[in-house]
Amino acid sequence: AQKVTQAQTEISVVEKEDVTLDCVYETRDTTYYLFWYKQPPSGELVFLIRRNSFDEQNEISGRYSWNFQKSTSSFNFTITASQVVDSAVYFCALSGRDFGNEKLTFGTGTRLTIIP
Amino acid sequence: DTGVSQDPRHKITKRGQNVTFRCDPISEHNRLYWYRQTLGQGPEFLTYFQNEAQLEKSRLLSDRFSAERPKGSFSTLEIQRTEQGDSAMYLCASSKQGVITEAFFGQGTRLTVV
């Protein structure tokens, strides 16, 4: 069985501060994929990043960066110099390679509020 | 707009009524997924189509739920004899078969059963 844990339910930071969202996962698959999605108030899930289990390189995209550590089963997400537009619910998700079905197992999400 | 489209965006229904939602995936995507999201939770997988074939159904999908994808294009999700516990956001996503890729989500249909 797969499981994703996002222990932080809500986080509030003042604009321009850095913030890290934690994600811990469990899976028995040797090949798997990790994702982060953003859900603004409009409701649509917006894809941010995909990582496969063989690639532990950290990734940076603008103000966003991701730290994948297989040894601790974590895939944390950092926003640098946060902005009000970053306010949303962020979900970490896991996908296995079960006969090519890429269904996602989501965490419960972290609601991020950036205070102007 | 070439994204995933869901209709309606909101639906209020009385308990016991049947409701049907529609999802139009991105045109070249042959995989289509339905998820349900309740307040304060992450989306939960309901069912999955590859073309017109329904390949997997979650245990969350009771007998009152049925999904179809005729001709492998749009999909419908029907809930019969709705219950208050069915109130949730129903999300549709699509992806392209082949090298694993991200699923693209629609804006969802919010169902309220009163």
Side-chain angles (χ1 to χ4, degrees):
Chain A
Q2 298 185 329
K3 185 179 179 181
V4 176
T5 301
Q6 294 180 255
Q8 304 151 308
T9 307
E10 295 190 29
I11 298 177
S12 294
V13 300
V14 176
E15 194 174 18
K16 297 184 183 176
E17 287 186 353
D18 299 347
V19 58
T20 295
L21 309 182
D22 298 333
C23 172
V24 174
Y25 63 92
E26 295 175 31
T27 180
R28 293 179 184 173
D29 292 335
T30 53
T31 301
Y32 53 90
Y33 295 81
L34 294 161
F35 301 77
W36 276 94
Y37 280 87
K38 174 182 180 179
Q39 189 174 43
S42 61
E44 183 176 355
L45 283 162
V46 178
F47 166 80
L48 295 178
I49 190 171
R50 176 186 70 251
R51 227 10 166 202
N52 74 54
S53 51
F54 296 111
D55 183 0
E56 290 193 66
Q57 280 191 334
N58 292 331
E59 182 160 338
I60 298 174
S61 175
R63 296 184 297 106
Y64 296 170
S65 62
W66 291 269
N67 184 344
F68 175 30
Q69 292 198 343
K70 213 168 176 178
S71 60
T72 56
S73 298
S74 65
F75 185 44
N76 297 336
F77 172 32
T78 297
I79 301 175
T80 303
S82 59
Q83 300 176 2
V84 172
V85 293
D86 296 327
S87 295
V89 181
Y90 290 85
F91 291 97
C92 180
L94 172 66
S95 171
R97 287 309 302 271
D98 178 18
F99 302 105
N101 177 356
E102 291 119 29
K103 67 180 180 183
L104 296 165
T105 298
F106 285 86
T108 51
T110 297
R111 180 177 297 277
L112 177 63
T113 302
I114 308 299
I115 303 166
Chain B
D1 185 8
T2 57
V4 177
S5 176
Q6 292 188 246
D7 182 71
R9 292 290 310 281
H10 303 274
K11 178 72 177 178
I12 300 174
T13 190
K14 290 184 178 179
R15 190 175 53 182
Q17 297 293 306
N18 298 346
V19 293
T20 300
F21 310 140
R22 176 178 170 126
C23 171
D24 287 272
I26 293 172
S27 58
E28 63 267 28
H29 287 182
N30 64 335
R31 289 180 171 164
L32 187 148
Y33 306 81
W34 285 99
Y35 289 83
R36 181 173 69 186
Q37 185 179 18
T38 53
L39 204 60
Q41 300 297 313
E44 295 174 293
F45 170 78
L46 291 179
T47 189
Y48 152 65
F49 290 86
Q50 182 161 301
N51 299 312
E52 66 275 9
Q54 188 174 17
L55 297 186
E56 186 172 345
K57 292 194 291 186
S58 162
R59 283 173 290 181
L60 293 175
L61 216 62
S62 76
D63 292 343
R64 297 183 297 105
F65 287 70
S66 63
E68 294 182 344
R69 193 182 181 197
K71 303 178 183 178
S73 55
F74 71 91
S75 175
T76 57
L77 178 67
E78 180 183 17
I79 308 175
Q80 296 182 328
R81 304 181 303 282
T82 52
E83 301 173 355
Q84 286 189 322
D86 297 331
S87 296
M89 175 79 86
Y90 290 84
L91 293 163
C92 177
S94 69
S95 68
K96 196 171 182 180
Q97 184 179 0
V99 177
I100 194 164
T101 184
E102 65 272 19
F104 292 85
F105 282 81
Q107 289 187 300
T109 294
R110 183 169 295 284
L111 173 67
T112 303
V113 182
V114 297

